[in-house]
Every structure is written in structure tokens, then in C-alpha cells.
Amino acid sequence: MPTDLINLSNAELSENNLAETNPAELDLSELVQQWISALTRLNLSVHTRKAYHRDLCQFTVFLSCHSVAINEVTHHTLRQFSAQRLEVDRISSSSLQRELSAVRSFADWLIEQNIIAHNFALDFAIQRPSRPLPGMLDAEIMPQILDQAAPEKPRDAQLWCRDKAILELFYSSGLRLSELSKLTLSQLDLGRNLVTVVGKGNKTRVIPVGSKAIVALLAWLELRNVWAAPEEVAIFISERSGKMLSTRQIERRVSLQAERAGISQHLHPHLLRHCFASHLLAGSGDLRAVQELLGHADIRTTQIYTHLDFAHLTQVYDKAHPRARKKTN
């Protein structure tokens, strides 16, 4: 099967031809080509289409090796496929879930084309492993990192000025690494202490920025104006190039500053996002607000943080539930 089918339109089949053809006689690679073309017309990104194609290829290769026609696929076939991917190919459960999602979408399209009668993957699921709890730093540890003294060397002190603004913004607003790295000057509203970010699914959200982060950002922006290359709009830039820092560069700087503060635990941007969420939840008890600030589409994703402050949740329960409140004389 060709490795890149996204731009191949000359092999497209008409819906009438598909409907009149015995599914067992159809070339699976041609069906995949037709499906990818349909995805292209839906204006999905190239990255998304390639990911769908890559994941579906694993399944179609499996069917070909086992001489199974697309209309012969059953739950037994899917169990065999899942077992091979997990036990032989040693992929993660989450990767298999993604591949099965592509298979379901492909099967939906096959139904629309009258190639199969039902979605063979619709009711099929593998057991999800328990979600790992995020690592965490206590709130008392954060000042050790954020309030550490600047290095003595002038160049290192300047880098710390930038890194401190990065660390403060991560912890203050719970941004994802990709969101922070792409921030531009126009997205930062220092007058109202707000930052506008574009997250997953191109969803925009406006997030408060804490006072300490504002102070760090103001100090950094003065230095940034000296370093910035002409017409560069990114907030966080490299000293050498004056261009936007890459996500990898940001990760390295976060880790370096934690080591300089004497923190033994590996610090990375996503851990700072976890700290933001759990510490905010501990102080407010407002899970819905934390969901909005994190940009989670599903509140169940946010609920992983509720275990981190069970004592607080118990106190809320004791105070709020009518059968838990103590009687007063």
C-alpha cells in the first residue's frame, strides 16, 4: 500500500460503482484512498488526515495478512487485531484506542457508501487501563523554584529573567507547552491581567494571569525588546536568534531552573500545569472553574485532580451534606 494516499485523487471510485460491487471483491487500498479523499473534502488538517491514514493502515495490513475481507470483519477479528498490536507489536493501550477510533470512522464511511451493513467496530472496546495520577509538587515547594535568586553572571541573570516569566506563567495560568510557546504579544493583556490562548481543537479561551506572573512578564518584556529580531511577535524568544523559542528549548530551560533551585524531581511544563490545577482546586474546590481554565472538553479529564486534595473534599462534604452536618444545640 502506498505510504501517502492523501493527495492521490485519480483512484477515486464513484459511489454508484462502490454500491454495485461485491465488498469481498473490492481492493481495500482503493477503499482507503476513497476515504482519505472524503476526509480531504471535510477540510481536516493534513496532520489529522495523515494520522488517520497511518492508524488505519495497521488494520488494513492485518486484514490483508489474514485474508479477511472488509465485510467479513467481526468482533473476533478486532480481538485478534488488538492482541497482535498489544502483545506482539507492543504498542500502548492509548495508541490502540486511537487506531480503533480510525477503524470506526472508516466503517461509518463504508456504511454511507453501502459497502457494509453495520459498523463492526461500534460496540467493540478494549479495557482501558486505570489512568495514572499526575505527579505533583507541593505548593510549599513552588516558591523555592519561582523565588530563587538570580545567577551572578550577567548573561545567566538575563536568561533567568526570561525563564522566570515562563515558569510564572505556566504555574499562574496552567498553559499547555504548545500554547505558551506560540504566545504572541497581542495575546497578552497586561492592563487587565489576561492572556488569550488557542488550545486543542483551535478553541480559544481567556485566562487570568496572577500578579507575580505579571511582574515577571513586565521585567522580561523590557529585555525582550532588546533581543527580539525585527517583526518577531512571539513573547518568548531566544537570546541568540531573537526568534521564538521551540518547545524543546522551553522544556530544557524549565528543567534547568528546577535543578538550580535544588529540586530533585524532574520538572517539566506539563507538571507545572498539573500543579496549577491541583493547587487551584485545593484552594477553591470549584472543579468546573478548573475545567474551564485548563480547556478540558470533558470534566472527567479534570476529575483526575480531585484525589489530590481528598481531605478538602471531605471537609466540603461534611459542611454541605444534610446527613453529614453535625447537629447544633
Side-chain angles (χ1 to χ4, degrees):
M1 183 183 298
T3 58
D4 189 354
L5 302 176
I6 291 176
N7 294 319
L8 296 179
S9 59
N10 56 353
E12 290 187 4
L13 305 173
S14 69
E15 292 186 8
N16 291 334
N17 287 339
L18 288 175
E20 296 169 359
T21 304
N22 184 341
E25 299 175 354
L26 288 171
D27 185 291
L28 199 51
S29 65
E30 292 182 346
L31 291 178
V32 173
Q33 284 184 332
Q34 180 75 355
W35 182 57
I36 294 297
S37 296
L39 293 181
T40 303
R41 291 191 292 272
L42 292 176
N43 294 323
L44 295 179
S45 69
V46 173
H47 175 78
T48 299
R49 298 198 306 271
K50 285 186 176 180
Y52 267 122
H53 174 254
R54 182 175 59 250
D55 290 338
L56 185 59
C57 275
Q58 298 294 338
F59 182 64
T60 56
V61 168
F62 174 85
L63 294 184
S64 177
C65 290
H66 290 77
S67 301
V68 178
I70 193 64
N71 64 319
E72 297 173 341
V73 177
T74 64
H75 277 196
H76 178 68
T77 311
L78 295 174
R79 283 193 291 271
Q80 288 182 314
F81 170 70
S82 299
Q84 175 175 307
R85 296 296 285 148
L86 291 172
E87 299 171 12
V88 179
D89 300 332
R90 310 297 294 178
I91 69 169
S92 67
S93 176
S94 59
S95 295
L96 176 59
Q97 293 282 8
R98 190 189 63 237
E99 291 179 3
L100 290 172
S101 177
V103 171
R104 290 188 193 94
S105 297
F106 180 52
D108 280 337
W109 177 83
L110 292 175
I111 293 172
E112 293 175 1
Q113 308 307 312
N114 298 319
I115 296 173
I116 60 176
H118 69 281
N119 190 330
F120 46 76
L122 185 60
D123 299 322
F124 180 81
I126 62 173
Q127 184 176 0
R128 291 179 180 269
S130 57
R131 188 162 188 167
L133 301 177
M136 198 56 53
L137 293 175
D138 292 337
E140 293 75 15
I141 296 295
M142 297 309 298
Q144 185 177 336
I145 303 170
L146 300 173
D147 297 335
Q148 62 181 310
E152 294 182 0
K153 294 182 179 179
R155 177 180 178 273
D156 290 342
Q158 290 181 328
L159 291 173
W160 166 240
C161 178
R162 179 198 62 195
D163 295 350
K164 178 178 173 64
I166 289 173
L167 290 163
E168 288 280 11
L169 189 54
F170 269 133
Y171 183 54
S172 165
S173 303
L175 303 188
R176 298 180 178 94
L177 173 59
S178 59
E179 293 169 346
L180 183 138
S181 68
K182 296 176 183 177
L183 275 183
T184 63
L185 296 171
S186 62
Q187 292 174 266
L188 187 61
D189 186 343
L190 293 174
R192 295 191 296 167
N193 293 9
L194 297 173
V195 62
T196 301
V197 298
V198 180
K200 290 184 177 180
N202 288 325
K203 294 181 179 179
T204 301
R205 66 188 193 280
V206 180
I207 311 171
V209 180
S211 58
K212 290 185 179 294
I214 290 293
V215 171
L217 283 165
L218 287 171
W220 157 240
L221 290 175
E222 288 187 14
L223 179 59
R224 180 204 172 277
N225 291 335
V226 178
W227 288 4
E231 300 182 359
E232 177 59 59
V233 296
I235 292 178
F236 298 109
I237 60 175
S238 166
E239 172 207 19
R240 291 189 175 89
S241 68
K243 297 288 187 179
M244 180 180 71
L245 283 175
S246 68
T247 54
R248 182 65 186 128
Q249 286 174 311
I250 294 173
E251 287 177 323
R252 284 198 297 263
R253 297 303 302 182
V254 166
S255 177
L256 182 149
Q257 296 300 352
E259 292 176 6
R260 192 171 72 86
I263 304 300
S264 58
Q265 184 174 348
H266 173 58
L267 185 65
H268 51 86
H270 207 63
L271 179 54
L272 288 170
R273 177 171 160 87
H274 287 324
C275 291
F276 160 82
S278 61
H279 297 169
L280 183 60
L281 182 61
S284 68
D286 193 333
L287 187 66
R288 185 70 179 84
V290 174
Q291 178 196 4
E292 286 294 320
L293 292 171
L294 289 174
H296 286 163
D298 191 334
I299 199 168
R300 288 175 296 181
T301 306
T302 319
Q303 285 175 330
I304 64 173
Y305 297 104
T306 59
H307 80 286
L308 297 168
D309 194 31
F310 186 75
H312 173 78
L313 295 178
T314 302
Q315 291 174 4
V316 172
Y317 175 85
D318 289 341
K319 292 179 181 179
H321 197 283
R323 301 291 286 179
R325 292 196 296 263
K326 293 181 179 180
K327 293 182 179 180
T328 56
N329 295 326

